[in-house]
């Protein structure tokens, strides 16, 4: 995986340097930033494949930085958060982060999550053949890996796209939360309810005229979610 460049953003120099060592040992190219403002600079001037982003930082925090990055880029973002920042974890997912790791973290877990996100990023939209799907104005192009609503592009994160693709390619079928998590995250599900719910809510905000009364992405109470035919 030495072709991948990872941006490490943390205001603690010791943490930045420590993470850099772990990543370089795995063959990754590493760039570093000490706050969100520096991170935005690096993202706009370099080819970045994944960002490890601390939440609590001076000048521009991780939540605000994620929001701004998502205006331009769909690269995977893994939040780094302290145990006391539970609410910030949820907010991070809401604004577009793909995953989070709690400090202090196990280096092996961090590397595993990095590789998992990169696999999903690289294999985004991989199915046996590609096609275009239209559900009453909501369109998905598997070849281009894009989603539009009545011709207008929808900016989705990699995980959001995978969820929409799963549901649209099986329109009408109900998927449980555990099925969605295991198919999209490609790992065993363990209490995935909150994670999946946050991503579903984000998708609805982007594709629905009225997210509280969705036309496309429906909940089947007690069962799961489906994309309406």
């Amino acid at each position: 995986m030495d072709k991948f460049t990872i941006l490490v953003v943390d205001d603690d120099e010791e943490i930045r340097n420590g993470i850099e060592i772990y990543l370089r040992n795995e063959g990754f190219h590493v760039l570093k930033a000490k706050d969100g403002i520096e991170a935005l600079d690096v993202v706009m001037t370099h080819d970045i494949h994944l960002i490890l982003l601390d939440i609590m930082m001076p000048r521009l925090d991780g939540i605000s930085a994620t929001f701004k990055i998502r205006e331009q880029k769909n690269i995977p973002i893994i939040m780094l958060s302290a145990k006391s920042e539970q609410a910030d974890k949820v907010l991070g997912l809401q604004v577009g982060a793909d995953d989070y790791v709690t400090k202090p973290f196990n280096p092996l877990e961090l590397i595993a999550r990095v590789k998992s996100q990169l696999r999903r990023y690289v294999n985004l939209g991989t199915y046996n053949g590609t096609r275009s799907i239209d559900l009453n104005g909501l369109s998905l192009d598997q070849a281009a890996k894009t989603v539009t609503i009545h011709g207008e592009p929808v900016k989705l994160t990699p995980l959001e796209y995978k969820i929409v693709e799963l549901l649209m390619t099986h329109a009408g079928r109900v998927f449980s939360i555990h099925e969605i998590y295991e198919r999209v995250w490609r790992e065993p599900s363990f209490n995935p309810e909150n994670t999946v719910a946050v991503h579903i809510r984000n998708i609805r905000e982007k594709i629905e005229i009225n997210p509280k009364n969705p036309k496309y992405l429906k909940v089947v109470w007690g069962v799961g979610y489906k994309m309406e035919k």
Side-chain angles (χ1 to χ4, degrees), residues 117-180:
Q117 288 295 331
L118 286 173
R119 280 195 299 270
R120 283 193 286 271
Y121 183 53
V122 170
N123 295 325
L124 188 65
T126 298
Y127 281 85
N128 294 326
T130 58
R131 58 193 176 110
S132 296
I133 305 168
D134 184 83
L135 300 175
N136 300 312
L138 177 65
S139 301
L140 180 141
D141 185 330
Q142 288 184 300
K145 302 179 182 66
T146 59
V147 174
T148 59
I149 181 73
H150 299 298
E152 294 296 321
V154 179
K155 291 184 178 180
L156 299 175
T157 69
L159 285 175
E160 289 168 1
Y161 175 87
K162 290 293 285 183
I163 292 171
V164 171
E165 185 180 48
L166 172 66
L167 297 179
M168 287 189 70
T169 53
H170 299 84
R173 175 181 167 183
V174 180
F175 286 86
S176 72
I177 289 174
H178 289 275
E179 280 183 294
I180 293 173

Side-chain angles (χ1 to χ4, degrees), residues 2-17:
D2 55 357
K3 62 180 177 179
F4 294 117
T5 298
I6 298 175
L7 174 61
V8 179
V9 190
D10 199 297
D11 60 328
D12 189 316
E13 183 178 8
E14 187 175 336
I15 292 176
R16 289 199 306 272
N17 292 341

Side-chain angles (χ1 to χ4, degrees), residues 73-92:
K73 304 284 185 178
N74 279 334
I75 53 181
I77 297 175
I78 300 177
M79 288 281 192
L80 304 177
S81 65
K83 288 183 178 179
S84 61
E85 296 162 3
Q86 292 291 336
D88 287 329
K89 291 177 187 177
V90 174
L91 183 56

